[in-house]
Amino acid sequence: MQQKQPLIELRHVNKYFGNVIALNDISLQVNAGEVMCLLGDNGAGKSTLIKTLSGVYKPCQGEMHIAGKRKAFHSPADALDNGIATVFQDLAMVPLMSITRNFFMGREPTVGKGIFRRINWRLANEVAKEEMAKIGIDVRDPSQPVGTLSGGERQCIAIARAVYFGAKVLILDEPTSALGVKQAAIVLRYIAQAKARGLGVIFITHNVHHAYTIGDVFTILKRGSCFGMFRKSEVSREEVLSMMAGGEEMDNLSSELEEFSRSDAVFAVTQNNTVLEASAALEHAMAEAMEQEFKLVSSHS
Amino acid sequence: MSTGIVSVENKTHDERLRQQHLLKKALHRPEFGAVAGALLVFGFFGVFANDSGMFSAAGIINFLEVSAQLGILAIAAAMLMIAGEFDLSIGSMIAFAGLVVAIPVAVWDWPLWISIVFAFITALGIGFINGYLVVKTKLPSFIVTLAFLFILRGLAIGFTRLLTGRTQVGGLKEVTENDVLAGLFSGEVGQSFFTWLTEIGWLDTNFAGQPMVTGIPVSIVWWLVIAAIATWVLLMTRFGNWIFACGGDANAARNVGVPVARVKITLFMMTALAATVFACLQVMDAGSADTNRGLLKEFEAIIAVVVGGVLLTGGYGSAIGAVFGALIFGTVQMGIFYTGVNTDWFKVFMGGMMLLAVMFNNYVRKKCLI
């Protein structure tokens, strides 16, 4: 089954912060043309894992392999040079700078020599416009500030920039979490495009609809350990959802809530005072409403 | 829009781009407020100080010279502010640099040009320390450079009293005469041009038959040259793009590989350098250095920069804006003198104007993101 080399592979990676075990024996791999969804609750170690992959942290133990070769990154720039590009949710764009200036930030194309070396604005503007057109965003004027674009479009520029500058693996940190339905769709469509072009994508999200729509593999992190790695064929949306939401914790919560409402009901019956009865009934209703809401929340987020 | 000046020539016309009214387009430039303000100020004094000689050739040179000296500081401060940092040590740096030029000449008989070079190297070093501390400690530059405001002023007073027993070092006029570098910081340029203007009758002569204006003071030349270089750097070079990126969002910039620390340290060195240019101009002009020089100049520079449309939090602005900010400052300062209004009121006006400018800038920035 594993004929091709994974683009990036972690083998038994551990990361400690003092006495805290942030990552415990994490192994994962991302193949070309594959979207791996990284799921997990807050504090599960997602951020630490991303930062390890993108060169911000060095693993304390374990190995990282890029295209079959063992590598250790010293900095985010090092990771970039190896084709690992990370797009952070809101740290990607400078709103007051133009689209072109943002797109080429740090890697401006230049012409001329010595003190006459200058940015090739004509080329830069053309490329920015072209690349944006490729992902279906028709930029009217590449010199307009990025702040005038929508959140989804901004995410897309950040991703397009990474792809243009030769990224082989994209790490997307909750790219859709702050976006509306339409905006998120733009980003998801673009992730699908990147996948079709043979890039490997690591996609971090809290939204099961987004994850299940686009993902091929689901890796669940829990308290710093790898809880499981599933192919899409192996799990249903509901199972992914249940694992994402923390599974048994949610079950416990709902049974606890049920317990509350039952004791409230008992309390109400034993009271003769009609006022108290009314208030207890109200509490009961509220508890039920809350339970409903929790179910709703867990099915939506 | 920071790249608005760069002409975008799209081969195919985009039907969704409508021709914007020229004024509205101008409104999107960071320096718009300052240019409009300068016109307003000229209009005001044109009416109220017209017959006072403010707009005679000599009067114009007068307020341009005042503006130029501040402008040199303001341009460097503007670039630093666009990168998201302040330098409050500019004023003290002026006094310190002036004394670094004057003391070796007066006390140890160094040739002037060597002590000028020495002052510039010292300035680069102090700028580096400022920048390095800000970048490494991650403290606000406001605090770090505020410390240097006192440290440099104190060093200037301490060393000067220690070495000369006084707070003023004079007697540099003679050594200025034949020095190779002094010419860069003193005198005037284009004398023959002004003589010619007088010959064809475009310029009045004074009672001695000399032209009213004998040449353009070098400070004005420095101002214009520095403005041109700064504009080129900001709009056309990679370094310029990095300056905007650092001020706009240092983290985002770092994530895409912009050497944020290097950019900021370089700009701190540039403000120290600008302060030294200012100090040299002043020392050559007065023939002396004084521990009290440059008082409050750091704030005047910040006013000029903010009036010039640079965003206080960084990431947005222009060098041209700082040029016009300084021009407004210089014009008002001299204009109040010419109108005969008590100059005691100048600072009230300056402060009020800065408030207005900041409010206007905030408004413009919001507009520009729509």
Side-chain angles (χ1 to χ4, degrees), chain A residues 76-77 80 86 88 90-98 100-102 104-110 115-122 125-126 129 138-148 161, chain B residues 1-4 6-12 14 16-17 232 234-242 244-258 311 314-316 365 368-370:
Chain A
L80 263 171
T86 310
F88 294 98
D90 35 72
L91 295 177
M93 292 280 134
V94 180
L96 280 168
M97 282 167 75
S98 71
T100 308
R101 275 181 183 265
N102 265 293
F104 287 97
M105 192 160 67
R107 299 170 184 214
E108 300 81 358
T110 56
I115 57 161
F116 295 109
R117 190 155 167 237
R118 62 196 182 274
I119 299 177
N120 189 344
W121 282 116
R122 182 178 295 214
N125 280 325
E126 265 171 28
K129 215 174 150 152
D138 201 356
V139 176
R140 292 162 286 266
D141 174 8
S143 67
Q144 79 190 77
V146 158
T148 59
R161 174 173 67 185
Chain B
M1 268 178 294
S2 37
T3 55
V6 181
S7 65
V8 186
E9 292 173 5
N10 288 319
K11 282 163 207 143
T12 49
D14 196 321
R16 290 160 310 160
L17 282 181
W232 163 266
L234 281 174
L235 294 181
M236 295 305 288
T237 68
R238 302 187 69 190
F239 193 78
N241 205 34
W242 296 349
F244 283 111
C246 286
D249 189 335
N251 266 322
R254 214 172 281 121
N255 281 341
V256 293
V258 173
L311 208 58
Y316 186 76
R365 184 168 50 102
C368 121
L369 285 179
I370 291 168

Side-chain angles (χ1 to χ4, degrees), chain B residues 38-166:
Chain B
L39 290 176
L40 205 72
V41 165
F42 280 132
F44 178 84
F45 288 113
V47 173
F48 291 98
N50 199 22
D51 46 358
S52 64
M54 180 174 172
F55 291 100
S56 69
I60 290 173
I61 289 292
N62 232 330
F63 70 72
L64 279 184
E65 197 173 358
V66 174
S67 309
Q69 293 191 349
L70 180 63
I72 291 166
L73 302 174
I75 293 163
M79 293 179 85
L80 185 64
M81 201 186 280
I82 293 173
E85 303 290 349
F86 282 108
D87 189 351
L88 294 182
S89 68
I90 298 177
S92 302
M93 188 66 218
I94 291 167
F96 186 78
L99 289 158
V100 173
V101 172
I103 289 177
V105 175
V107 179
W108 303 314
D109 290 325
W110 286 19
L112 184 61
W113 68 270
I114 289 185
S115 71
I116 289 176
V117 171
F118 178 59
F120 274 98
I121 293 169
T122 312
L124 284 175
I126 290 169
F128 180 84
I129 294 170
N130 256 333
Y132 187 82
L133 283 176
V134 168
V135 168
K136 282 294 154 190
T137 62
K138 297 194 170 68
L139 286 170
S141 52
F142 186 89
I143 297 299
V144 173
T145 57
L146 185 62
F148 271 87
L149 180 152
F150 288 103
I151 292 172
L152 289 177
R153 182 73 64 184
L155 285 176
I157 297 171
F159 271 121
T160 312
R161 297 266 285 177
L162 188 74
L163 294 169
T164 67
R166 296 151 24 113

Side-chain angles (χ1 to χ4, degrees), chain A residues 6-279:
Chain A
L7 287 175
I8 186 166
E9 186 179 8
L10 292 186
R11 290 183 193 165
H12 310 292
V13 165
N14 287 303
K15 176 74 192 170
Y16 312 117
F17 295 107
N19 60 350
V20 177
I21 303 167
L23 294 177
N24 183 16
D25 194 26
I26 303 284
S27 297
L28 58 82
Q29 52 192 42
V30 180
N31 296 316
E34 205 174 77
V35 176
M36 193 200 77
C37 293
L38 193 58
L39 313 168
D41 207 1
N42 293 338
K46 292 193 306 278
S47 310
T48 313
L49 183 55
I50 301 162
K51 285 184 175 165
T52 308
L53 286 167
S54 61
V56 178
Y57 296 150
K58 271 182 232 169
C60 297
Q61 279 161 24
E63 298 172 3
M64 194 189 292
H65 292 251
I66 308 297
K69 275 187 214 122
R70 190 171 173 183
K71 284 265 164 66
F73 298 146
H74 305 290
S75 67
D78 204 10
L80 263 171
D81 292 339
N82 279 289
I84 316 291
T86 310
V87 177
F88 294 98
Q89 191 189 335
D90 35 72
L91 295 177
M93 292 280 134
V94 180
L96 280 168
M97 282 167 75
S98 71
I99 294 172
T100 308
R101 275 181 183 265
N102 265 293
F103 193 94
F104 287 97
M105 192 160 67
R107 299 170 184 214
E108 300 81 358
T110 56
V111 287
K113 282 205 176 94
I115 57 161
F116 295 109
R117 190 155 167 237
R118 62 196 182 274
I119 299 177
N120 189 344
W121 282 116
R122 182 178 295 214
L123 176 79
N125 280 325
E126 265 171 28
V127 170
K129 215 174 150 152
E130 246 169 57
E131 291 299 311
M132 296 304 286
K134 272 190 205 163
I135 61 175
I137 296 173
D138 201 356
V139 176
R140 292 162 286 266
D141 174 8
S143 67
Q144 79 190 77
V146 158
T148 59
L149 299 179
S150 71
E153 289 172 327
R154 281 189 227 183
Q155 273 303 323
C156 285
I157 301 182
I159 303 171
R161 174 173 67 185
V163 174
Y164 178 78
F165 287 110
K168 293 189 200 75
V169 178
L170 283 175
I171 303 174
L172 309 175
D173 185 11
E174 304 197 13
T176 57
S177 65
L179 304 179
V181 178
K182 253 193 187 154
Q183 302 288 329
I186 298 176
V187 176
L188 290 179
R189 195 175 303 129
Y190 190 43
I191 294 174
Q193 261 189 45
K195 174 182 148 181
R197 277 201 242 169
L199 274 78
V201 180
I202 299 175
F203 178 33
I204 293 97
T205 183
H206 276 123
N207 190 319
V208 71
H209 300 293
H210 296 166
Y212 203 77
T213 311
I214 201 90
D216 299 303
V217 184
F218 304 92
T219 300
I220 322 273
L221 285 184
K222 203 170 178 183
R223 300 171 75 89
S225 305
C226 190
F227 183 69
M229 199 165 162
F230 309 93
R231 302 220 130 250
K232 196 172 186 174
S233 52
E234 298 164 5
V235 286
S236 68
R237 184 187 298 244
E238 281 63 40
E239 283 170 305
V240 174
L241 169 63
S242 146
M243 288 186 285
M244 272 174 79
E248 52 194 297
E249 276 95 342
M250 275 323 238
D251 291 344
N252 288 344
L253 181 62
S254 52
S255 61
E256 245 172 77
L257 283 170
E258 266 169 40
E259 189 60 38
F260 281 145
S261 55
R262 201 173 308 124
S263 66
D264 281 348
V266 171
F267 179 70
V269 170
T270 54
Q271 296 295 318
N272 294 323
N273 192 318
T274 47
V275 179
L276 263 178
E277 204 171 332
S279 76

